[in-house]
Amino acid sequence: MADGLLPSLIMVIVQFEFAGMNIFSKLAMDTGMNPFIHVAYRQIFAFLFLAPLAYFMERGKRPPMTRPVLVQIFFSSVFGLTMNQITYFVGLKNSTPTIACALSNLLPALTFVLAVAFKQESAKLKTLGGQAKLVGTLVGVAGAMVLSMYHGPVVPIGESAIHLSIANSSANDPSQGKGNFIGPFLVIISSLTWAIWFIIQAKMGDTYPAPYSSSALMLGMATVECSIFGFIMVPHPQEWSLFPGIRALACVYGGVACSGIGVCMMSWCIQKKGPLFVSVFSPLLLVIVAALSWTFLHEKLYLGTVLGSVLIVMGLYSVLWGKTKEFEPLQPHKELQDTKEEDIEMN
């Protein structure tokens, strides 16, 4: 099960977790919450949740900590949490959840390039599996670009019956996310730092197979980094208030469900399936956020959203099929090689 459906199921759950984070975080920042403060609180709540869990679940099972592993955890905290979340949430504040999620789908392409460069993935462009993996990545990115750049006519599916009063002001503001280059640019940088985190995690998983403990240490370091950075950027204590309640909800949910549980889930999947497998599930986030935005924020569903979502799902399954196809000839080839080695030893 661990080598079959379980990693895929876990990654789908992770995308639902992050979709909720996008909605809650956007609502919190629309109330005036500073994104640097939001990121700092998120690390604090995540660390408080995960540290005792890691202590009890991996007590007596943790391998000895070495200096190279500690350095890897530090850089994981810098790229995967501090830089990634600061650039993403500042970008989200200056755009919309749909635009932020759409541009985040550059992640599979960036991860694919870095994984090949660091020899964690083989391009194998002459094989059917390698070609499917490359084409699927490009199709997924194209779908994200279509969704973010092309609206088209409104799809006549009616309006959601769910009405949230807190969402009315932000959902009905047509100026949000338009004509602002800073937001999309920072989301792209966020995707690059996330891809770097995938590469570091893949290397660290081979030498320190304790995902809860490594994630807790990473969150502890990120808590210090983000808190210092937050106080430098926002030195006024009154701005660190968690009221109205949506601010507290967004910080606790983002810390526990995403930075805590979600990071551990992804670390486990990276160890089982590699960084590219984890990254190609990110396009599903865009589809989920589009549905949640229509349901709770009353965003209209455009033809471009439908077309882009279809391309994204097609690209996702193309990459997954390609990865599966790559491993099919490996076992027979290995058995043939073992047979030849046995014949040589007998002779």
Side-chain angles (χ1 to χ4, degrees):
M1 183 68 173
D3 295 327
L5 295 177
L6 185 57
S8 298
L9 177 61
I10 288 177
M11 285 311 304
V12 171
I13 295 174
V14 168
Q15 302 314 309
F16 275 96
E17 292 175 348
F18 278 87
M21 176 207 69
N22 276 272
I23 302 299
F24 292 142
S25 298
K26 182 62 176 175
L27 290 174
M29 289 186 288
D30 285 344
T31 67
M33 188 177 197
N34 190 286
F36 297 102
I37 296 175
H38 175 69
V39 170
Y41 272 127
R42 175 174 168 176
Q43 310 313 318
I44 293 172
F45 285 117
F47 176 71
L48 293 176
F49 168 78
L50 190 59
L53 189 67
Y55 175 78
F56 288 107
M57 292 193 67
E58 295 180 340
R59 182 170 52 179
K61 302 177 183 179
R62 283 182 290 270
M65 177 61 65
T66 62
R67 183 177 297 179
V69 172
L70 193 62
V71 171
Q72 289 176 336
I73 293 176
F74 170 73
F75 281 108
S76 292
S77 71
V78 171
F79 288 102
L81 294 178
T82 302
M83 291 181 61
N84 171 263
Q85 293 187 19
I86 287 176
T87 52
Y88 183 83
F89 285 108
V90 175
L92 177 63
K93 182 177 177 62
N94 289 277
S95 59
T96 65
T98 302
I99 291 176
C101 291
L103 293 176
S104 295
N105 285 283
L106 291 172
L107 178 62
L110 294 173
T111 305
F112 178 76
V113 172
L114 291 177
V116 171
F118 285 94
K119 298 181 180 180
Q120 293 183 4
E121 286 280 344
S122 177
K124 298 182 179 179
L125 297 181
K126 294 183 179 180
T127 66
L128 185 60
Q131 293 170 2
K133 192 163 59 175
L134 177 61
V135 171
T137 300
L138 296 176
V139 169
V141 172
M145 296 300 102
V146 168
L147 194 149
S148 59
M149 296 181 181
Y150 172 68
H151 275 181
V154 176
V155 179
I157 60 172
E159 295 185 357
S160 171
I162 300 175
H163 297 277
L164 299 178
S165 58
I166 194 173
N168 288 339
S169 60
S170 60
N172 296 326
D173 185 359
S175 64
Q176 282 193 338
K178 295 183 179 180
N180 193 337
F181 176 73
I182 295 298
F185 174 75
L186 289 176
V187 174
I188 293 173
I189 298 299
S190 174
S191 296
L192 177 61
T193 59
W194 199 229
I196 294 173
W197 179 79
F198 279 143
I199 302 302
I200 298 175
Q201 283 293 109
K203 288 183 174 295
M204 186 171 63
D206 296 333
T207 56
Y208 194 79
Y212 293 102
S213 299
S214 61
S215 297
L217 287 172
M218 182 173 62
L219 286 166
M221 294 178 182
T223 296
V224 177
E225 296 161 5
C226 293
S227 297
I228 293 175
F229 200 80
F231 278 113
I232 292 174
M233 300 300 295
V234 190
H236 307 292
Q238 64 272 18
E239 295 191 35
W240 287 73
S241 172
L242 288 177
F243 295 97
I246 185 63
R247 298 186 182 186
L249 175 61
C251 293
V252 173
Y253 178 87
V256 174
C258 299
S259 293
I261 299 175
V263 167
C264 288
M265 286 176 152
M266 287 188 293
S267 297
W268 183 85
C269 289
I270 287 174
Q271 293 180 20
K272 294 294 182 180
K273 292 290 187 177
L276 184 61
F277 175 86
V278 173
S279 72
V280 296
F281 278 86
S282 63
L284 284 178
L285 177 61
L286 181 55
V287 180
I288 299 169
V289 167
L292 292 179
S293 296
W294 174 83
T295 303
F296 297 106
L297 303 182
H298 294 278
E299 290 189 7
K300 296 180 180 179
L301 183 63
Y302 294 93
L303 178 62
T305 304
V306 176
L307 294 177
S309 300
V310 170
L311 287 174
I312 286 168
V313 174
M314 289 174 58
L316 169 65
Y317 284 106
S318 178
V319 173
L320 293 177
W321 182 86
K323 282 188 67 68
T324 303
K325 200 70 175 177
E326 279 183 346
F327 290 101
E328 286 184 357
L330 293 182
Q331 187 65 29
H333 176 74
K334 184 179 183 304
E335 292 177 355
L336 180 61
Q337 185 178 5
D338 293 342
T339 302
K340 290 182 178 180
E341 290 176 355
E342 291 177 359
D343 292 340
I344 293 174
E345 290 178 358
M346 292 178 63
N347 293 334

